Amino acid sequence: MILLDGKKTSADIKQEIAKSVEEIKKQGRRAPHLAAVLVGIDGASMTYVGAKVKACQLVGFESTLIKLPEDTSEKALLQQIEALNNNPDIDGFIVQLPLPKHIDEQKVIMSIDPNKDVDGFHPVNVGRLTLGLPTFISATPFGIMELLERYEIPTSGKHVVVIGRSHIVGRPMSILLSQKRKAGNATVTIAHSRTKDLKSLTQQADIVIAALGIPEFLTADMVKDNAVIIDVGITRVPDDSKKKGYRITGDVDFKAVSNKASHITPVPGGVGPMTIAMLLKNNLLAYNGIG
Ligand code: NAD
């Protein structure tokens, strides 16, 4: 069994980005600049945004964190986004989701300039991805594609079962894997909460991508020998033995499934760390122009 080491791979990618930034600076040009907008004080969101800002510093990007109070109005947030859209010193920015309930998330995503939408959530970028045009691929699916490529996992003609159909993971994942591209050309089945007899599908899969958010959902009896297993799930499970009072658990029963798999991502240390590296990659793309 080969561990798909997202921690190491993401460190490699960050190093490559840092090298590019050094080159840019050597040429006397300004460094790429990523901004993040955080509304409210959601614990997980604060952790994610903090990690993104730290990663910017590591690769030599400029970063700006805009923290807004929980009761920020939708109008005020849209004004902030407009300012970022018009700021020539900001190459890309993200609005950390989820947003407080009184703000329409879709409206916010729509207001981001697609050329600065490094999360790849704007309909223009989702459309470009669907058509196979150059775009910002949202960071989690982008990270999984990068892992498959770097570990040279054959995907052409393989049967992939993607569990989960969300806009940020399952859906783009299924599109990317079916396209004519590196780590593509697969036959893809997308499964979701209404899928019947999921086990009979996953048992046929050469590659399973579990992105549903149910801890240890994918068990050893559901996968065939030598399958490639990508675990996207991140769920905080209460655990008194941990200092934080919880542990992070994936969607795969890692212990049992790793005995059958040819390749598997651990949680933590698999898909998670890749996400931030790919966000940085998207911001470098925004700096250089995706055209
Ligand atoms: P989501 O809740 O938006 O979507 C879950 C999907 O799973 C839905 O499409 C649903 O139909 C499907 N589903 C639910 N129960 C099912 C079942 N019993 N059988 C088959 N399908 C079922 O979740 P999401 O945003 O796609 O995230 C999924 C998981 O991935 C979560 O644990 C999330 O925290 C994690 N995640 C991780 C990263 C990362 O960087 N590693 C990024 C995004 C999300």
Side-chain angles (χ1 to χ4, degrees):
M1 184 273 292
I2 295 172
L3 204 66
L4 299 172
D5 188 343
K7 216 171 157 184
K8 184 193 172 293
T9 309
S10 68
D12 291 347
I13 294 168
K14 282 185 209 154
Q15 225 168 45
E16 290 160 18
I17 296 171
K19 244 188 187 165
S20 301
V21 176
E22 254 175 52
E23 282 301 315
I24 287 168
K25 287 182 180 167
K26 254 191 219 154
Q27 292 164 12
R29 295 156 64 206
R30 70 163 177 85
H33 190 159
L34 174 71
V37 182
L38 176 66
V39 186
I41 49 161
D42 176 76
S45 291
M46 281 165 69
T47 310
Y48 291 144
V49 168
K52 288 167 188 174
V53 170
K54 215 170 126 191
C56 281
Q57 289 160 358
L58 190 83
V59 299
F61 281 4
E62 291 293 327
S63 64
T64 298
L65 174 56
I66 299 160
K67 281 187 190 168
L68 301 174
E70 179 84 20
D71 61 358
T72 300
S73 69
E74 187 179 278
K75 194 175 166 206
L77 177 58
L78 292 175
Q79 279 168 351
Q80 180 60 252
I81 291 169
E82 191 55 20
L84 290 167
N85 283 341
N86 293 326
N87 184 342
D89 290 332
I90 304 278
D91 305 292
F93 65 95
I94 61 156
V95 178
Q96 186 65 40
L97 303 178
L99 289 166
K101 290 210 164 43
H102 65 278
I103 298 177
D104 181 345
E105 240 168 55
Q106 204 50 43
K107 209 167 170 184
V108 168
I109 290 169
M110 295 283 280
S111 71
I112 298 172
D113 176 349
N115 292 311
K116 295 190 175 190
D117 168 41
V118 285
D119 259 341
F121 294 160
H122 191 285
V124 165
N125 288 320
V126 177
R128 292 180 70 89
L129 178 139
T130 306
L131 294 171
L133 298 171
T135 188
F136 301 113
I137 301 172
S138 58
T140 304
F142 196 8
I144 295 169
M145 293 302 280
E146 194 79 12
L147 268 182
L148 293 172
E149 278 182 29
R150 290 191 184 223
Y151 278 88
E152 297 179 349
I153 309 274
T155 55
S156 181
K158 301 292 180 188
H159 182 201
V160 183
V161 173
V162 178
I163 313 174
R165 59 180 163 186
S166 73
H167 296 325
I168 61 163
V169 192
R171 178 84 53 200
M173 210 55 248
S174 69
I175 295 169
L176 288 163
L177 286 159
S178 69
Q179 284 174 334
K180 276 188 196 168
R181 60 189 306 145
K182 245 180 158 180
N185 294 307
T187 304
V188 182
T189 300
I190 181 159
H192 45 76
S193 52
R194 303 288 178 92
T195 298
K196 290 201 172 106
D197 197 9
L198 178 60
K199 186 172 163 178
S200 71
L201 296 171
T202 52
Q203 278 174 340
Q204 293 172 44
D206 302 302
I207 302 172
V208 180
I209 301 189
L212 68 161
I214 302 180
E216 303 188 341
F217 176 86
L218 192 79
T219 47
D221 59 322
M222 293 174 79
V223 300
K224 71 175 183 186
D225 284 331
N226 295 317
V228 175
I229 310 292
I230 307 288
D231 188 352
V232 188
I234 299 180
T235 307
R236 290 182 177 190
V237 175
D239 185 341
D240 291 338
S241 71
K242 302 280 175 198
K243 224 160 103 190
K244 289 178 179 165
Y246 65 84
R247 66 192 146 84
I248 299 293
T249 306
D251 289 347
V252 177
D253 176 1
F254 182 86
K255 226 173 167 180
V257 174
S258 58
N259 286 325
K260 281 181 101 175
S262 71
H263 298 75
I264 187 165
T265 57
V267 175
V271 174
M274 292 297 291
T275 299
I276 291 184
M278 301 322 280
L279 173 69
L280 299 177
K281 207 161 170 167
N282 272 342
N283 199 59
L284 187 60
L285 201 61
Y287 180 88
N288 290 325
I290 48 170

